[in-house]
Amino acid sequence: PPALLSRATGPIPMSSMDLRVQLNGALPEEELGAGRYVLLTSRCRWAGSGYADQDSALWSEGGTLLARCQQALAFFQRG
């Protein structure tokens, strides 16, 4: 989910303009699977004038960086 939503007081209509996902090598099978947790961190680097830019990272329970994501969003004002 977009980090921008953490500051919203309600739903915000938005659309992805660009989405890139980078996998960091082979996934460590011993750190993934049923009963294992992953952590998603998301940071909105900039938002204004109807646009937002965010970075996200997916970490294994053991602290291995699994994937990174960069996303550009357009968000729309209601009314």
Side-chain angles (χ1 to χ4, degrees):
L4 180 64
L5 291 177
S6 68
R7 300 281 179 143
T9 58
I12 300 174
M14 60 179 61
S15 178
S16 292
M17 298 176 6
D18 182 52
L19 177 64
R20 291 180 302 244
V21 177
Q22 301 165 324
L23 298 177
N24 291 350
L27 296 176
E29 292 183 31
E30 66 279 357
E31 293 188 48
L32 300 173
R36 302 302 297 246
Y37 291 95
V38 294
L39 171 68
L40 174 67
T41 58
S42 292
R43 180 176 160 245
C44 183
R45 295 188 301 170
W46 179 85
S49 302
Y51 298 96
D53 184 31
Q54 84 169 23
D55 289 323
S56 301
L58 188 65
W59 301 87
S60 74
E61 193 174 15
T64 301
L65 179 61
L66 303 172
R68 293 179 27 168
C69 174
Q70 295 84 38
Q71 185 175 22
L73 299 154
F75 58 95
F76 309 97
Q77 301 294 326
R78 292 187 176 230

